[in-house]
Amino acid sequence: MSTIFTKIVKGEIPCYKIAEDDNYLAFLDINPLAQGHTLVIPKKEVDYIFDVDDQLLGGMMIFSKRVALAIEKAVPCKRVGIAVLGLEVPHAHIHLIPINNLGDINFSNPKLKFSSQEFAETARIISANL
Ligand code: AMP
């Protein structure tokens, strides 16, 4: 069965899209730790990030860099932190999270709630900074 992220890639489930090319997709995390919390995935369905082949994994980091620089411009923050967990969704993904201090990237923190309009506006502003 397809992962939820493959369903997003195929357009079967909606997402707040930030960027896309032939191999990768970036979209907002729906349970964000911060405004602008973004996920970058390879379109190819691979569970564990360290099972992604070298070329695709290298490209994923370059794609993430471009997205992170756009997040930085769109959302006030000191840096964009990067994390890989993969405990919930078995489809490799990188979390890009705007941070100001160490505590901002603690996945035990309560997740933020935004309206669909707010998510859409955040995605629009980040995309505009790509
Ligand atoms: P993890 O696999 O532990 O890295 O966590 C998966 C992340 O995917 C969580 O932060 C979820 O909020 C996020 N997530 C799950 N389903 C969706 C979805 N349909 N759209 C956006 N983000 C999602």
Side-chain angles (χ1 to χ4, degrees), residues 4-5 8 27-31 39 85-89 93 95:
I4 193 158
F5 290 169
I8 289 174
F27 52 95
L28 293 179
D29 192 304
I30 38 158
N31 295 303
L39 302 176
L85 289 84
L87 294 172
E88 187 186 317
V89 178
H93 52 281
H95 294 259

Side-chain angles (χ1 to χ4, degrees), residues 50-87:
F50 294 126
D51 285 332
V52 175
D53 75 57
D54 290 0
Q55 196 178 344
L56 193 63
L57 184 60
M60 193 174 166
M61 188 57 75
I62 293 165
F63 187 88
S64 297
K65 174 181 173 180
R66 186 170 150 247
V67 173
L69 294 175
I71 294 172
E72 254 179 59
K73 288 184 199 148
V75 180
C77 62
K78 268 195 190 154
R79 294 195 167 219
V80 171
I82 182 167
V84 175
L85 289 84
L87 294 172

